[in-house]
Amino acid sequence: MDMADLLVAYLEQLQIDFVFGVPGGAIEPLYDAIARNQRRGGNLTHILARHEAGAAFMADGYARETGKIGVCISTSGPGATNMLTAVATAYGNNVPMLVITGQPALPSFGKHTLQESACTGIDVLGMFRHCTRYNSLVSHPQQLEWKLITALQHATRAPVGPVHLSVPVDVFRAPSTHRKPNYDMTALLRPASLIDSGAIETLRGMLANARNVVILAGGGCGDSIHSILQFAQLKGATFVTTPDGKGLVSPQHPLYRGVFGFGGHNSAEAALNDPSVDLILAVGTSMGEWNTGGWNSSLLNDRLVHIDESEEHLARTPMARYHLRGSLRAIFDRLVERMHELGQHTDPVVERRRAGVKAAAMKWKPADMLDAPEAFTSDAVPIKPQRLMKELGEMFPRSTRFLADTGNSMAWATHYLQARDRRMGERRFGGGDRPRDLGKRQSTGGWLRLITHFAPMGWAIGAAIGTAAGNPDAPVVCITGDGAMLMSGQELSVAVAEQQCVIFVVLNDAALGMIKHGQRLAGAERIGYDMPRTDFAAISRAQGGRGYTIRSAADLQALDIKSICNYPGPTLLDVYIDPEEVPPMSSRMRVLMDGV
């Protein structure tokens, strides 16, 4: 057993069944160890990406789907630098990821060795330092095990994120002094249930005196959303979500008032601006530009109570009335428990509030929150993107995962995509899974997944493949643009090779749509967004997938969705959308124009 075998043994202990990467000389010993593990009947499988950024995006999607750590590997030099954008994305969105890169042998350092990229040569360690939670060169075989343990702990402790180990080829090949891992990761990586009883009692007292509470649920609520919704129902509180929190709840929930932030709904802002609201509980959100509507004062005021596991996130809300750090699920479980113990849920004032909310909910329809309801039902040709979102939500089964790429795709999906009522489906679709397996942390999944903060085009393409690897039993729909597809569309051939049911929906408007509309709205020079028409259905077929050209709602309705969802391979829908429809991006334009 060599040190590469030991690393693989730890991945098996964590029940990680897929790693994503591109091989090369400096990382070859790790590939040898994976092959030996497979011959011994191990469960670890390697998925070959077409580009190293795609490999890291796949690891991101796998982590969100399974709640485990996503693992991506590459050779030294350009293999490592190709991953940087995707690793930075995981860092900005708090996705746990283990990044392993190779290095030439230690004795060759400083000799201008091919693809040398450690402390001499091109300094990859310096590059990764700014977008990882832990980052180290393993310069001796005896360092590998404890540095791996340290990295994994940093990846899974708040604030979670990617970690990076760069391992020279001779360190990987060095014999291990023991034949199995020294550490049992069960205890070391078990999620910490941080809870401050005194702070929770203080919050409970504030809530007891509040007559109207609104909850903002962010993307970090995946494992706690069941408890949060239970609390909302007991308290008679309406709730809104951030864009990355939308997929954690059913759009048909009677207490839901839409998305606040980029691509969001006026109904969500109205809920926060209601003068009768005493407290706004912002839960599991980083308070960046896209999930605060450009730092909108509707949210950031002295009615705010910010609840999060990360001190970094809490530091962004100095105006808040109260801050509470700890395990979100533990906090809301305790709040629900105390409401029952003290009988607060039967308080006449609370009961009247719940009755009023219920009466309002009887009149509420998800369509009420839309900016352009007429476009949502339009039969116009070419199809309007609003109508496309309506059809996608109705076409696919409840188990479907939707991923929306950066740009117009995200704006249209955030505002208009309304999936089938998940409350009637599997329990897991009320929010993230509760951790069950070794190596599992809270899932940041949900029925809709997207990214904020460091937001590269093409993320959803790789992440969709990682999602399908993590759960091959559910259809995965990747909503992306023609610009993103031209950047990263080669990864579709990975879905072909792995026989994955991934449906790529390309919004084809022959432009970088958000750039085009942003320039028009800002009165800027119109430059740098035009692209020639591209037949993406033909490109999919050329790579071994299936492809359909869509120009109208009738074309969508004519598709055999059952067949598509059971097909062992990808299907691409090349959707020619109305290029003149302006996406809901007003908060982004305000920040760009005002600089605030």
Side-chain angles (χ1 to χ4, degrees), residues 96-407:
M97 184 185 294
L98 174 63
V99 184
I100 304 290
T101 63
Q103 287 293 346
L106 283 162
S108 69
F109 277 23
K111 296 181 179 179
H112 215 188
T113 307
L114 181 67
Q115 298 181 338
E116 181 183 346
S117 55
C119 48
T120 55
I122 302 300
D123 187 4
V124 164
L125 271 295
M127 297 178 193
F128 276 104
R129 183 176 300 121
H130 304 285
C131 59
T132 52
R133 300 295 176 187
Y134 181 85
N135 174 50
S136 186
L137 171 70
V138 181
S139 59
H140 194 280
Q142 275 64 47
Q143 292 181 349
L144 179 61
E145 188 170 28
W146 66 263
K147 283 192 173 182
L148 175 64
I149 302 307
T150 303
L152 292 171
Q153 288 180 311
H154 278 275
T156 55
R157 295 284 184 262
V160 304
V163 294
H164 171 233
L165 293 178
S166 191
V167 187
V169 65
D170 52 336
V171 171
F172 266 140
R173 287 180 177 144
S176 174
T177 56
H178 45 278
R179 299 194 60 79
K180 62 180 182 179
N182 278 321
Y183 295 86
D184 179 0
M185 304 303 290
T186 308
L188 286 175
L189 297 188
R190 181 176 292 118
S193 295
L194 295 175
I195 188 166
D196 183 335
S197 297
I200 292 177
E201 279 302 300
T202 300
L203 175 60
R204 189 198 60 76
M206 296 171 66
L207 291 166
N209 294 323
R211 294 296 179 259
N212 190 355
V213 175
V214 176
I215 300 169
L216 172 72
C221 295
D223 188 48
S224 57
I225 195 66
H226 303 289
S227 301
I228 293 170
L229 295 184
Q230 186 180 6
F231 169 80
Q233 289 170 327
L234 289 173
K235 184 66 180 174
T238 53
F239 67 90
V240 299
T241 70
T242 61
D244 54 339
K246 176 179 177 177
L248 299 175
V249 302
S250 170
Q252 291 79 21
H253 197 292
L255 297 177
Y256 179 56
R257 292 297 176 266
V259 173
F260 179 77
F262 177 80
H265 304 106
N266 290 331
S267 56
E269 187 163 355
L272 296 174
N273 277 330
D274 185 338
S276 70
V277 172
D278 303 295
L279 291 178
I280 299 169
L281 304 187
V283 188
T285 175
S286 62
M287 295 297 187
E289 176 191 333
W290 278 19
N291 48 32
T292 61
W295 305 285
N296 194 312
S297 60
S298 300
L299 172 66
L300 302 181
N301 55 61
D302 61 4
R303 297 179 298 167
L304 178 66
V305 173
H306 193 181
I307 306 172
D308 205 279
E309 287 191 76
S310 169
E311 291 172 343
E312 290 181 10
H313 297 170
L314 295 175
R316 298 191 182 108
T317 53
M319 76 297 295
R321 183 179 302 184
Y322 193 63
H323 293 90
L324 179 55
R325 180 174 182 246
S327 164
L328 303 184
R329 192 173 77 183
I331 289 169
F332 279 88
D333 282 348
R334 178 67 64 86
L335 288 174
V336 168
E337 178 185 316
R338 291 291 285 155
M339 288 184 76
H340 282 291
E341 286 176 357
L342 300 173
Q344 290 176 337
H345 61 295
T346 60
D347 181 279
V349 174
V350 174
E351 288 186 336
R352 283 197 299 273
R353 168 67 184 162
R354 280 204 303 267
V357 169
K358 184 176 180 180
M362 295 293 290
K363 304 174 185 177
W364 176 259
K365 296 181 179 129
D368 294 341
M369 65 181 75
L370 303 181
D371 279 358
E374 68 287 347
F376 192 61
T377 56
S378 172
D379 290 325
V381 179
I383 189 171
K384 293 192 179 294
Q386 300 94 326
R387 178 63 186 274
L388 172 62
M389 295 302 124
K390 177 180 185 293
E391 293 299 321
L392 292 177
E394 294 174 352
M395 286 163 53
F396 289 97
R398 291 189 181 95
S399 60
T400 303
R401 277 81 163 138
F402 293 90
L403 292 89
D405 224 332
T406 298

Side-chain angles (χ1 to χ4, degrees), residues 466-511:
T467 301
N471 186 355
D473 297 325
V476 179
V477 175
C478 169
I479 305 171
T480 189
D482 45 0
M485 202 70 189
L486 288 170
M487 282 187 180
S488 302
Q490 73 279 353
E491 303 301 342
L492 182 146
S493 73
V494 179
V496 173
E498 300 297 326
Q499 298 185 316
Q500 293 178 336
C501 179
V502 181
I503 298 92
F504 295 94
V505 180
V506 181
L507 278 60
N508 194 338
D509 58 358

